[in-house]
Amino acid sequence: MSGEGSQVVKSNQKSTESISSKLEIATGRLFYASKASRRPQAVEALAVILASADVFASSAKLNSTIDEARGVPTKFTDAEIEGLVKLASDARNWLDENAQRQERLQAYEDPILRVADVERKSKEVENEVGRLRKKKVPKKAKVTSGKTSSAGEPAPEPSVGDRPKDEL
């Protein structure tokens, strides 16, 4: 009976290994399927964020041009606006390139355009737009009305003896 018992145990082990490997395959397929179903939503969200960033950058550039013409401080520097435009452009190029590569893959192959990567790109652009939106307009530099001499140089400070005395 011990011979039959060991064969039953070996048979159960093979069945368990077979079931485990099939379960692994099924789990992997479900994982890819769930990611594949979330991918279009993530891509669409990134596209909306990129469009929003483009509108924001255009508006900021226009406002900066108007502020410069009026002689008031601008809220954003050209470098900040160009940085946002470059970030959005890089994200758009990354998305386009990887979306094309993803379309050529079969459903069971490892994805190139991962949902986590799309969400990370979305967050990067979103954070930069948010940072710029929260930025305060710099205050206009105070013009000191210091006394100047006829030569255009600042007048010398009054000496200690010329200052009024404090009375308590």
Side-chain angles (χ1 to χ4, degrees):
M1 184 119 169
S2 66
E4 288 180 23
S6 66
Q7 287 179 347
V8 171
V9 170
K10 287 180 184 179
S11 175
N12 284 342
Q13 286 176 342
K14 287 181 183 179
S15 294
T16 303
E17 289 172 4
S18 175
I19 291 172
S20 294
S21 76
K22 288 178 182 177
L23 183 60
E24 247 180 67
I25 291 169
T27 303
R29 288 182 182 166
L30 285 174
F31 176 76
Y32 287 138
S34 71
K35 293 294 183 183
S37 69
R38 287 184 40 218
R39 189 176 302 116
Q41 293 168 341
V43 168
E44 181 63 29
L46 178 56
V48 168
I49 289 168
L50 291 173
S52 172
D54 289 341
V55 169
F56 180 83
S58 296
S59 176
K61 191 170 237 168
L62 178 63
N63 289 339
S64 291
T65 303
I66 292 170
D67 288 345
E68 286 174 354
R70 291 188 330 192
V72 296
T74 60
K75 185 173 182 178
F76 309 109
T77 65
D78 289 339
E80 289 172 326
I81 296 170
E82 292 306 316
L84 176 61
V85 169
K86 182 177 180 348
L87 181 66
S89 176
D90 290 348
R92 186 174 291 106
N93 292 339
W94 173 86
L95 179 62
D96 292 343
E97 177 184 315
N98 286 318
Q100 289 174 358
R101 291 173 56 203
Q102 181 66 40
E103 287 176 7
R104 289 182 249 152
L105 293 179
Q106 298 298 323
Y108 58 85
E109 293 181 302
D110 286 338
I112 291 173
L113 189 60
R114 291 184 167 87
V115 173
D117 294 338
V118 174
E119 289 172 345
R120 183 179 46 80
K121 289 285 185 182
S122 296
K123 196 72 166 166
E124 287 174 3
V125 175
E126 208 171 20
N127 286 345
E128 183 62 15
V129 170
R131 184 187 70 79
L132 292 175
R133 278 197 173 124
K134 291 178 184 176
K135 186 178 178 187
K136 304 278 187 213
V137 177
K139 294 182 180 179
K140 195 170 187 175
K142 291 183 179 179
V143 178
T144 56
S145 59
K147 298 177 184 176
T148 58
S149 65
S150 59
E153 298 173 358
E157 290 287 324
S159 64
V160 175
D162 296 340
R163 292 186 186 152
K165 295 183 179 179
D166 292 336
E167 293 184 24
L168 295 177

